[in-house]
Amino acid sequence: MGFLVLIVRIMGRISTFRSYQFVLLLAATLAVIAFYYFGSERHSFSSTTKRIRQTQESDIFRSRKGSSEAGGQLYHALMMFTKVDRSRSLQDKFRVAMLSMVKLAHFLEGEVLVLHFVSDQASQELGQRMLQEFLQDAPFKYEVSIIFHDVVELTQKLFPIVEAMQKHFSAGSGAYYSESIFFLSVAMHHIMPESLTRIVQLDLDLKYKTNIRDLFQEFDKFPPGAVIGITREMQPVYRHTFWLYRKENPKTRVGEPPPEGLPGFNSGVMLLDLSAMRASTLYNQLLKPSNVAKLAEQYRFKGHLGDQDFFTMIGMEHPELFYSLACGWNRQLCTWWRDHGYGDVFQLYYGCDGPVYIYHGNCNSPIPDD
């Protein structure tokens, strides 16, 4: 059939479009009308044709069992995209992430990569422009769909669920309402439609070294009872954070390096089995404020890294909820703790054998060139 048609669906209010965006939307609408008027076969377009049209969220979630309208699989990936308009650094990171992702991605005919962005209005407008630049001339053989979610709307849904846990895992600024969005992964199964069954959440400061489709195949390796796939933390962050518990329990594995220790998790790359999260009585019990407080007291825990802290803490008690991704899927590059009191043990945490699939330039670490 030749090249698949690339569909870039950009969600946004028409009233916020600038003139050139409106022209693009009008042209896309005419193209869609022409498509249905002259024929509905996908190969009726030339191999270089790309359609751009506006899409509502329901168009994605209406498909049965995660399948696209063409009968293929939908692969959902979500990124936080707030305040990007104010930061050249975040824009540069986003450019590296997207260009490396789309360059190496390969999907089967009928499969669709659905990219979700949680964004404020100003960042959404910037993101639309950047994505058009990145995707317009890309030599794709697969389809991409793009959805922007309003950060305010998601925060309103999240806050009642995660408010009680934020005092244990936030930086202490007191701006708990606005910080709720950093716990999105914890409760995403409650606020996304039930038709969305699996999603990968990704940081912006990543560089992809392999086909992202392969990451989604890791879902099939989850053991019974697991709801989240995640890599271990590659710095002694939790050796430090659990210091009081470790002092009171000198023989504990908590905070110790791999392979025998429990170094905690890093949330830069996460596989969220939303169906399993909804079905897990244990996981949903752990979300209750009383149980969060009980574990935080048991482990003398006070963190500042949001969802990562929550997953790390419950993972100490219930490791069966987690599937351990190979470190190469989230090869963290930050070395901050090496120079801040843990140089003698740093390499025990930092080492990662095997191939690198995704580099994570956390704490503004430079990512190796190709």
Side-chain angles (χ1 to χ4, degrees):
M1 289 182 62
F3 290 118
L4 291 178
V5 179
L6 171 65
I7 302 173
V8 181
R9 300 166 175 163
I10 299 179
M11 180 180 177
R13 298 176 182 173
I14 294 178
S15 60
T16 64
F17 280 11
R18 298 181 180 177
S19 59
Y20 74 91
Q21 292 172 316
F22 180 78
V23 171
L24 284 174
L25 179 59
L26 179 61
T29 302
L30 293 174
V32 172
I33 292 172
F35 174 76
Y36 285 106
Y37 184 81
F38 291 110
S40 60
E41 291 300 316
R42 183 172 302 184
H43 55 71
S44 63
F45 285 91
S46 71
S47 62
T48 58
T49 299
K50 298 183 171 101
R51 288 188 290 145
I52 302 172
R53 70 178 184 178
Q54 185 181 20
T55 299
Q56 299 295 325
E57 287 181 39
S58 57
D59 292 337
I60 293 296
F61 299 125
R62 191 180 297 135
S63 302
R64 287 190 309 155
K65 297 182 180 179
S67 296
S68 72
E69 295 172 351
Q73 181 71 31
L74 298 179
Y75 295 88
H76 294 272
L78 180 143
M79 285 165 265
M80 301 300 300
F81 199 74
T82 57
K83 302 180 181 178
V84 178
D85 63 304
R86 311 177 198 175
S87 172
R88 181 57 183 270
S89 175
L90 286 177
Q91 294 168 31
D92 291 341
K93 291 172 182 177
F94 181 56
R95 181 181 300 272
V96 170
M98 288 307 306
L99 290 179
S100 62
M101 177 192 290
V102 301
K103 176 183 177 182
L104 297 174
H106 176 74
F107 291 86
L108 303 180
E109 183 172 344
E111 295 180 338
V112 181
L113 174 61
V114 185
L115 298 177
H116 299 251
F117 297 97
V118 178
S119 181
D120 53 83
Q121 186 59 44
S123 295
Q124 175 178 332
E125 293 175 2
L126 173 65
Q128 290 170 345
R129 296 196 298 270
M130 295 181 74
L131 286 165
Q132 291 222 6
E133 174 192 343
F134 300 158
L135 303 179
Q136 188 68 32
D137 298 320
F140 292 157
K141 296 183 180 179
Y142 58 93
E143 297 182 9
V144 176
S145 179
I146 296 172
I147 302 175
F148 280 92
H149 301 269
D150 183 77
V151 65
V152 175
E153 293 180 6
L154 287 189
T155 301
Q156 289 172 345
K157 296 177 182 178
L158 274 173
F159 185 66
I161 305 173
V162 303
E163 177 185 8
M165 69 173 60
Q166 289 181 234
K167 65 181 180 180
H168 303 291
F169 315 118
S170 294
S173 66
Y176 285 152
Y177 179 77
S178 63
E179 290 179 0
S180 296
I181 201 62
F182 297 112
F183 294 83
L184 176 61
S185 61
V186 171
M188 197 183 301
H189 61 300
H190 284 312
I191 66 173
M192 289 296 187
E194 289 194 5
S195 54
L196 181 54
T197 58
R198 290 176 171 179
I199 195 166
V200 170
Q201 184 166 327
L202 305 161
D203 279 1
L204 277 189
D205 53 348
L206 304 178
K207 184 175 182 179
Y208 300 85
K209 303 294 292 181
T210 194
N211 184 3
I212 192 174
R213 186 181 186 276
D214 294 341
L215 176 61
F216 289 91
Q217 309 313 306
E218 295 290 315
F219 275 115
D220 297 332
K221 301 178 183 179
F222 279 30
V227 301
I228 295 170
I230 193 168
T231 60
R232 63 176 173 83
E233 174 59 51
M234 298 177 66
Q235 291 196 91
V237 176
Y238 294 108
R239 186 185 188 97
H240 181 85
T241 307
F242 284 100
W243 71 271
L244 183 55
Y245 180 82
R246 289 169 51 80
K247 180 180 179 181
E248 295 173 347
N249 299 270
K251 295 184 179 181
T252 185
R253 296 166 58 218
V254 170
E256 286 291 296
E260 300 301 327
L262 300 173
F265 298 127
N266 183 278
S267 60
V269 174
M270 292 185 291
L271 280 66
L272 307 175
D273 189 331
L274 301 182
S275 291
M277 293 169 76
R278 295 178 184 118
S280 174
T281 300
L282 173 59
Y283 181 78
N284 288 287
Q285 286 288 332
L286 292 170
L287 294 181
K288 293 184 176 181
S290 59
N291 290 328
V292 173
K294 179 180 178 181
L295 281 180
E297 173 61 27
Q298 175 182 335
Y299 285 99
R300 302 289 194 264
F301 191 88
K302 181 67 175 75
H304 64 282
L305 297 175
D307 56 355
Q308 175 173 312
D309 287 335
F310 175 74
F311 293 142
T312 290
M313 189 183 74
I314 67 172
M316 299 299 175
E317 193 78 4
H318 298 286
E320 68 273 17
L321 290 172
F322 299 91
Y323 165 64
S324 182
L325 277 174
C327 58
W329 282 113
N330 179 10
R331 188 21 171 141
Q332 303 140 53
L333 299 173
C334 183
T335 58
W336 191 89
W337 289 95
R338 181 185 63 192
D339 305 318
H340 292 80
Y342 292 91
D344 56 333
V345 297
F346 180 82
Q347 199 58 38
L348 298 177
Y349 295 83
Y350 192 70
C352 176
D353 297 329
V356 173
Y357 306 113
I358 300 176
Y359 279 117
H360 184 184
N362 48 338
C363 71
N364 296 313
S365 301
I367 296 177
D369 295 329
D370 292 332

